[in-house]
């Protein structure tokens, strides 16, 4: 047995205990985690300082360094997040349908945990706690595999969380960390059939595609976001410019940021006249098709083919002219990642048709794509945004971390 | 492009049209299919007669031959099934939650089709129509890949169904048949990423395991059924014997038939005294552990290790003695296929604990496992019984053939 198989077996056994632990016990464990992370944050900060120092030596760029770095106030935010998860309703044990059949059988469909959830993520140490808290509340054991840059922070915080679990009488293996951050171990985790019920990759597009392609365990794809905004010729162009600028610039690094604007040909010039000044204040680079470039001149650059599928996660925007909405929808359905798509229009029929025919987790009329988020959607918290159609689609909250089972009460029925 | 990729592309395009076709149009298509299969059944029967003749030449055993054979009355049953699907409510377009957020965004989660569903199945020609009807009603295009033994029947019936689709103005590629029944083509279908949204294998355990292991497209595992009945020492033993006999003998070839009875040690002898006479009338072979064999003598045979994981689909039953319920549950969770499990007991607390701790799609108290079925559960029809935890669990009706998308109505909101 490999180390990871042993870890998988322990997680599976812990999941079995956790599945019937009850809401009060799970909340008690979450509160114990909140407390230990507050009281002993010095240990976590010290481990994180070592990670940061090592990352500086390897020349990590500053945006990444910032993501990696913990502070007291960031820890307070993480702890606050745990208390929000405590406040969320527990989906486990609820029945979404119950029926008494003509033969007297009472058939009820009950929410149950998925079992063992593995999460592969990158260098953000807050994910370690967020993910563990959501898995714990939904009755799932988790196996966390973070990036090597955060391994010291992750070792420390996972040990603290395991100590908190034991303090309330739950198995420590409800939460475990993959100690070895090699690619080989990540690959082994993708093939840990029989132990891992679901694998969720959280991170960049490359990570997600690799996992989806490689894994033999069930995967939920999350967070690939090549999102579009389509500016219809019946749009309120000022509103469109505001929404576009918000969707691009309010936080360009996230998956619900827009990457490409599609503009109906006959409003190309007036729309750009309104949008470009707003984008200028963020120095957004514009990668344009020929028609847009004819208007923008040296303000834009000519797009390459690869720009039409690019997830920039940066202050860069692809600009493309389309003949009409049908062309926009067809383009989106080919080049999008089924994440978030928006139309700006005053026309009722076009709005409805866009909603009907665009194939994505979230389709908007006259709003920024940036709203695709568990908090904004009222789920309370999210473990990621699913861009697949099976099991869950869009922001995944606690309920999306569950399965169901039918429980059937009989009194001797035979068929 | 291979023939199958071309077929996949056509199915994808058809699925796009079908996704917004509306309930009335889909029901019209189903009615047209019901009519053409009735009016031109002579063609279908003739093609089937050729299949049956060819199968007889290859020496197909009689149970299989019976499954393969169509008759007028079987066709009437199949057509009746289509009309039942017409009568079912259409899940597409319903919203299971709608909320107006504090910022005024109206967020609604709407049911949408999965897209293209591929189904690999064996020699039963009724599956061809059942599966196509359920996919059509739920707005999904389907790619059907039946066994080579039924290829003439399947070619005929799929051509008739396509003709019916065209007659109501829907794309014929909403339903298509894989013309080539080679293993290579089946394998290609398992890897038709980008065209196939979900692959559902229907058939024997070997087929299902191969597909689950091989496929890179998303798979829903269905119908692996190693089901158990646990006879508790507080059981009504007569009821237990009736239920066991029903679960084994009413239709041994199906996945919800019981394969193994677990009997608490201290009621082993009185339970067998009641159960064996019932099983005798069906000549059920009993494969026993040593304790049971000591009681049964020459009525039983000694079980091999492989018997504890066997899906017999036949008049064979594994018989095993357990110390108590905890041992039974542990055994089930290791040797079961997460399909259907039942406890026979009068004890309230044991019943509840069994329901809580057995990990399966359907867990019963005092009832036969044979009830795990879409019709019996009130779903109206089923495309299979999922034994996995992701997406769907237990009998899969129309709703389980759908995904969702969030549609969001804004009036200029930015974040």
């Amino acid at each position: 047995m490999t180390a990871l198989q042993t870890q998988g077996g322990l997680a599976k056994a812990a999941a079995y205990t956790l599945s019937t632990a009850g809401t009060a016990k799970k909340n008690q464990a979450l509160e114990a985690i909140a407390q230990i992370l507050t009281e002993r944050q010095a240990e976590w900060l010290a481990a994180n300082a070592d990670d940061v120092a090592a990352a500086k030596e390897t020349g990590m760029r500053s945006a990444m360094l910032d993501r990696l770095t913990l502070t007291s106030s960031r820890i307070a935010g993480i702890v606050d997040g745990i208390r929000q998860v405590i406040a969320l309703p527990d989906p486990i044990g609820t029945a979404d349908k119950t029926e008494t059949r003509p033969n007297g059988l009472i058939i009820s469909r009950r929410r149950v945990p998925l079992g063992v959830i593995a999460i592969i993520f990158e260098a953000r140490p807050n994910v370690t706690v967020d993910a563990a808290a959501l898995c714990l509340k939904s009755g799932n054991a988790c196996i966390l595999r973070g990036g090597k840059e955060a391994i010291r922070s992750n070792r420390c915080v996972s040990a603290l969380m395991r100590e908190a679990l034991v303090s309330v009488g739950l198995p420590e293996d409800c939460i475990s960390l993959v100690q070895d951050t090699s690619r080989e171990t990540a690959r082994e985790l993708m093939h840990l059939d029989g132990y891992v019920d679901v694998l969720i990759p959280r991170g960049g597009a490359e990570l997600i595609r690799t996992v989806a392609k490689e894994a033999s365990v069930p995967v939920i794809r999350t967070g690939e976001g090549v999102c579009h905004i389509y500016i219809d010729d019946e749009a309120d162009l000022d509103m469109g410019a505001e929404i576009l600028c918000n969707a691009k610039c309010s936080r360009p690094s996230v998956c619900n940021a827009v990457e490409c604007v599609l503009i109906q040909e006959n409003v190309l010039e007036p729309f750009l006249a309104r949008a470009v000044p707003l984008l200028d204040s963020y120095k957004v680079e514009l990668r344009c098709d020929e028609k847009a470039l004819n208007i923008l001149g040296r303000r834009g650059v000519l797009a390459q083919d690869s720009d039409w599928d690019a997830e920039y996660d940066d202050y860069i925007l692809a600009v493309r002219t389309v003949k009409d909405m049908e062309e926009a929808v067809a383009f989106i359905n080919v080049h999008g990642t089924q994440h978030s798509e928006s139309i700006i229009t005053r026309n009722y029929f076009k709005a409805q048709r866009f909603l009907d025919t665009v194939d994505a987790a979230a389709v908007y009329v006259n709003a920024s794509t940036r709203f695709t988020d568990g908090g904004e959607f009222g789920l309370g918290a999210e473990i990621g945004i699913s861009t697949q159609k099976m099991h869950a689609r869009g922001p995944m909250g606690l309920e999306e971390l569950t399965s169901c089972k039918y429980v059937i009460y009989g009194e001797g029925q035979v068929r």
Side-chain angles (χ1 to χ4, degrees), chain A residues 60-289:
Chain A
M60 184 184 274
R61 63 186 172 93
S62 65
M64 288 288 285
L65 263 184
D66 180 59
R67 284 181 164 203
L68 177 61
T69 305
L70 280 173
T71 63
S72 267
S73 82
R74 283 185 179 180
I75 290 179
I78 292 168
V79 167
D80 190 49
I82 298 172
R83 297 232 159 85
Q84 285 171 28
V85 172
I86 293 174
L88 290 175
D90 184 352
I92 300 304
T94 59
D96 62 354
K97 56 180 186 184
T98 301
E99 198 181 347
T100 303
R101 300 292 301 158
N103 61 7
L105 281 180
I106 301 170
I107 301 182
S108 187
R109 190 166 71 177
R110 189 192 276 188
R111 290 271 128 225
V112 297
L114 285 164
V116 175
I117 299 179
I119 299 163
I120 298 185
F121 56 103
E122 292 172 341
R124 298 167 66 170
N126 65 308
V127 174
T128 321
V129 179
D130 290 356
L134 287 166
C135 289
L136 184 58
K137 179 79 182 220
S138 53
N140 296 290
C142 64
I143 297 178
L144 304 165
R145 197 276 188 189
K148 67 175 188 301
E149 302 79 4
I151 185 65
R152 300 167 190 82
S153 315
N154 285 337
R155 281 193 185 135
C156 175
V157 74
S158 61
L160 290 173
M161 291 193 287
R162 285 161 65 90
E163 203 175 317
L165 285 165
V166 172
S167 76
V168 302
L170 282 175
E172 59 184 356
D173 290 302
C174 292
I175 299 172
S176 68
L177 181 76
V178 178
Q179 299 291 327
D180 170 0
T181 59
S182 68
R183 274 172 188 267
E184 290 66 38
T185 314
R187 193 177 299 262
E188 193 190 342
L189 188 58
M190 296 177 210
H191 296 281
L192 211 60
D193 299 79
Y195 300 104
V196 170
D197 291 287
V198 184
L199 172 59
I200 303 177
R202 277 188 64 160
E206 201 193 315
L207 169 71
I208 291 156
R209 277 166 211 164
T210 304
V211 170
K213 200 171 165 209
E214 267 283 328
S216 53
V217 299
V219 169
I220 299 180
R221 296 178 79 129
T222 67
E224 291 165 283
V226 178
C227 305
H228 302 77
I229 291 178
Y230 165 63
I231 308 292
D232 181 61
D233 68 351
E234 295 180 70
D236 177 330
L237 296 182
D238 291 310
M239 182 194 282
E242 292 282 353
I243 287 173
L244 177 65
C245 184
N246 175 266
K248 178 73 262 178
C249 304
S250 58
R251 205 168 162 203
S253 65
V254 292
C255 61
N256 57 23
V258 72
E259 304 294 6
C260 177
V261 62
L262 302 167
I263 308 166
Q264 193 165 0
E265 199 161 8
N266 51 339
V267 293
L268 180 61
E269 189 154 8
F271 178 72
L272 289 175
R274 284 162 173 87
V276 173
L278 301 182
L279 298 167
D280 278 345
S281 47
Y282 296 92
K283 300 192 173 58
V284 176
E285 181 182 333
L286 301 173
R287 303 199 181 165
C288 307
D289 67 355

